[in-house]
Amino acid sequence: MTIKNLLENKFVFLDGAMGTMLQSAGLKLGERPEALCITNPDVIMEIHKKYINAGSNIVYANTFGANRHKLEGTGYNTEEVVEAAIGIAKKACDGKAFAALDIGPIGELLEPAGSLTFEEAYDIFKEMVIAGEKAGADLVVFETMTDLYEVKAGVLAAKENTSLPVFVTMTFEETGRTFTGCSVESMAIVLEGLGVDAVGINCSMGPKEILPLAQRLTKATSLPVIIKANAGLPNPADNTYSIDAEEFGALMKPYADCGVRILGGCCGTNPDYIKSVCTKMSEISPEERDFRYSSVLCTPSKVVDINGVRVIGERINPTGKKRFQQALRECDLEYIAERGIEQADAGADILDVNVGLPGIDEKEMMIKTVKILQSVLNLPLQIDSSNAEAIEAGLRVCNGKAIVNSVNGEQEVMDKILPIVKKYGAAVVGLTMDQNGIPQTAEERFAIAERILENALKHGIKKEDVFIDCLTLTVSAQQEQAQETLKAVKMIKDKLGLHTVLGVSNISFGLPEREFITTNFLIQAMAMGLDLPIVNPNQTAIMDAIYSFKVLSGEDRDSEKYIARFSGRKTETVVTSTAPEKKETNTFGDIEYAVSKGLKEETRKITEKLLTEKTELEIINDILIPVLDKVGERYEKQEIFLPQLINSATASCEAFDVIKASILSKGSESVSKGKIILATVKGDIHDIGKNIVKVILENYGYQVIDLGKDVSEKDVVETAIREDVKLVGLSALMTTTVESMKNTIDALRESGHDCKIVVGGAVLTEEYAKEIGADYYAKDAKQAVDAAKAVLG
């Protein structure tokens, strides 16, 4: 029996919570669960056996936090903990179940929101998976993940360094997004593309709350779907959950109706819950799923469905652009980012990324460019290069599903590029040319397209991920070729059912008033079936033509987008660009734009100019704080997500640095709005949420005293008194550590120190915050800022 065989079963049953069982067994506050694999292996063995006896087909080894980052300072290393944990799990299984290497989040935010690089995350996971396979693990499971970028690093580490099957589950909120903004659909698209064996949802919510998300997930992937729900909602007051085993089993039954076949439990569950699920599922069979592939691209928070005309912006390309070439040579990444932002604001759906230039390291520049673009934008990318190393480097660090531009009909090119496309789950553009050049007839181009499709399918690339470029030739030199290109587009659309791409602007090269020719050709091409025009979206006429076409084709229902674009436009006004007009320098509008887009250097330059007109406090109070408030409001409305929020805060930090330097140069005191203590309470080692709050508060001008994690009541009280701090922020992620939070609040009150207390954390509620004596409850960083304003101004 293998994992592959097991997945053919009607249902596959996983285990339940490890932490819940360890707490019942007497796990001490602050004690590392993974260390018990070495100090008390019998208790771990007994837990595994109980789950296996309850019906679990797969048990998760006690390795959730066994990465080197979380083990730092414990006296243990990854290899010894993983070896011990897998050994215990395998012995408990004794041929009756499979043992999974369980991997949780590293515990540190990845770039661009944090300081951990993608490559560093990969190395951390690599160490774990190698140790896991060596110790005898049957599969690798990544669970409770919130960052798709971190998951991608882990999956690549597992697939490149082991032969083990890979399961992945991420943790979502009721909105259908993780706390970093990743959607259920984006998770499914990226992970299926990377070749994982099963995908799903665990933790955060109970069976009722997860069910609607599971229904969405089963429609977004063909993979087996995993659900490991919590035992309802937590009660931080007594460390219990709201659903008992019998009810849990009953609530898991509806998952069979949407085709979910891999079931288990998360926080608050125990072997009784798993036994209940097994019993309930024995009475039913899962429904067959009716999943159909479609042509989609994505970032973590945005899916672009190619079910109509989608604009690929062409401006990130050095060809014929001296300033862009200079930016590449000088590694001026902010200039490149600005070109991306302009196109996004002008209506591009996808960005072409071409950084090929003689004299530079294209591979390294591709990595840097992809990283900077996805730090400031929420659009899928098209990696444009003929260099296989540069293509793979770009795909590797791309956070989402991208397009590769391109392959052609040469067998050598296809054999080199298509395996890379398949490995990273990308789509691919096929150029209808080969070693003999560009064919003169539509029929010959069609034949090459057929050959490209046949090779892509052989490499395991889905038909829906093959896009064909019929090639636009310059009409001033080869006039008859315009009609051959259009004919080829229609043939490929009608006979092969493939999406088509064209670099539209090539048609008018060398002619005066190029826009007229380009726009007319674009309209004809869209009428023939062109889906993906590569154009300059900053040209108003081009985008006007696309918006108009979408009305006539029926894509823009009720002309909604057309009306939004044109209502209020004055017809007598000549507009040459759809990008936002560049405002005069050192204005409120400029700095608002720079901060909201995360443009650090631009923010710094604008602030330096503002200082010639305004005082430091005027800039802070009248400009920076209102800008950050607007960003925060957009975050609350889910118009932007955590990476964009952090990026804007980091950009504003550049402004504050300039202001602080100006004040110090005058011999004045700091402009700090007041001191705030932040601490993760005793026994809790989770500090990502606290660190996010710290970044945001600092960029509002508050001085944050960060005491770190696992902080005692005494340290909080002594620091608050010594530094005369008027606001103390406490964080706890686990139900077992909220008692420490209450103890810290009590200690602060008993000390007599005059201060307010704000609390936050995944298990807290506003009601419980009041119950334990907190003054404010903050569900996120924005509400923490609101508390700071209320207390400190």
Side-chain angles (χ1 to χ4, degrees), residues 384-429:
D384 185 354
S385 178
S386 58
N387 181 328
E389 286 189 356
I391 289 172
E392 178 157 20
L395 288 178
R396 191 173 186 83
V397 299
C398 180
N399 193 6
K401 179 180 178 182
I403 309 174
V404 169
N405 185 15
S406 57
V407 298
N408 59 45
E410 291 185 53
Q411 196 61 49
E412 183 181 352
V413 172
M414 290 188 286
D415 290 343
K416 183 186 295 182
I417 303 299
L418 290 177
I420 299 172
V421 173
K422 170 61 179 172
K423 175 180 177 179
Y424 293 97
V428 63
V429 173

Side-chain angles (χ1 to χ4, degrees), residues 432-434 436-441 445 448 470-471 473 481:
T432 52
M433 59 182 289
D434 57 18
N436 299 315
I438 300 174
Q440 296 298 296
T441 68
R445 295 184 201 181
I448 293 175
C470 297
L471 299 171
L473 302 178
Q481 285 301 308

Side-chain angles (χ1 to χ4, degrees), residues 233-244:
L233 302 175
N235 181 351
D238 59 7
N239 192 27
T240 62
Y241 283 77
S242 60
I243 296 175
D244 63 21

Side-chain angles (χ1 to χ4, degrees), residues 11-67:
F11 290 107
V12 175
F13 299 109
L14 308 175
D15 59 9
M18 173 62 73
T20 300
M21 295 293 286
L22 289 175
Q23 289 161 24
S24 299
L27 181 69
K28 297 182 180 64
L29 184 66
E31 191 174 5
R32 295 306 306 271
E34 295 80 14
L36 295 177
C37 297
I38 295 171
T39 61
N40 195 354
D42 291 344
V43 71
I44 306 298
M45 175 81 73
E46 187 62 25
I47 291 169
H48 288 322
K49 286 182 176 180
K50 286 180 178 178
Y51 278 123
I52 293 166
N53 291 336
S56 296
N57 305 120
I58 299 173
V59 295
Y60 290 14
N62 184 30
T63 53
F64 181 84
N67 67 69

Side-chain angles (χ1 to χ4, degrees), residues 13-17 20-21 24 47 49-56 231 243-250 252 264-266 268-280:
F13 299 109
L14 308 175
D15 59 9
T20 300
M21 295 293 286
S24 299
I47 291 169
K49 286 182 176 180
K50 286 180 178 178
Y51 278 123
I52 293 166
N53 291 336
S56 296
I243 296 175
D244 63 21
E246 181 67 20
E247 186 181 1
F248 186 82
M252 294 298 282
C266 205
T269 64
N270 59 39
D272 292 338
Y273 286 73
I274 301 306
K275 185 176 181 180
S276 176
V277 172
C278 294
T279 301
K280 299 294 184 184

Side-chain angles (χ1 to χ4, degrees), residues 713-762:
E713 297 94 331
K714 181 182 177 184
D715 286 346
V716 173
V717 172
E718 288 181 352
T719 305
I721 294 171
R722 183 177 65 251
E723 299 291 335
D724 193 23
V725 175
K726 298 303 181 185
L727 180 63
V728 175
L730 303 175
S731 172
L733 188 70
M734 304 185 296
T735 56
T736 52
T737 56
V738 291
E739 185 64 26
S740 295
M741 181 177 281
K742 182 180 183 303
N743 294 341
T744 305
I745 293 172
D746 290 345
L748 280 165
R749 302 301 188 210
E750 290 168 7
S751 73
H753 180 63
D754 180 22
C755 70
K756 299 293 185 182
I757 300 166
V758 57
V759 297

Side-chain angles (χ1 to χ4, degrees), residues 15 46 75 148 227 229 234 244 251 307 317 329 337 422 458 470 483 487 505 529 593 646 658 681 707:
D15 59 9
E46 187 62 25
L148 190 59
I227 299 296
D244 63 21
L251 288 172
N307 57 359
N317 188 317
R329 292 191 181 99
K422 170 61 179 172
K458 284 180 180 177
C470 297
Q483 290 303 309
K487 182 179 176 182
S505 59
Y593 185 80
I646 296 291
V658 171
V681 298
L707 298 182

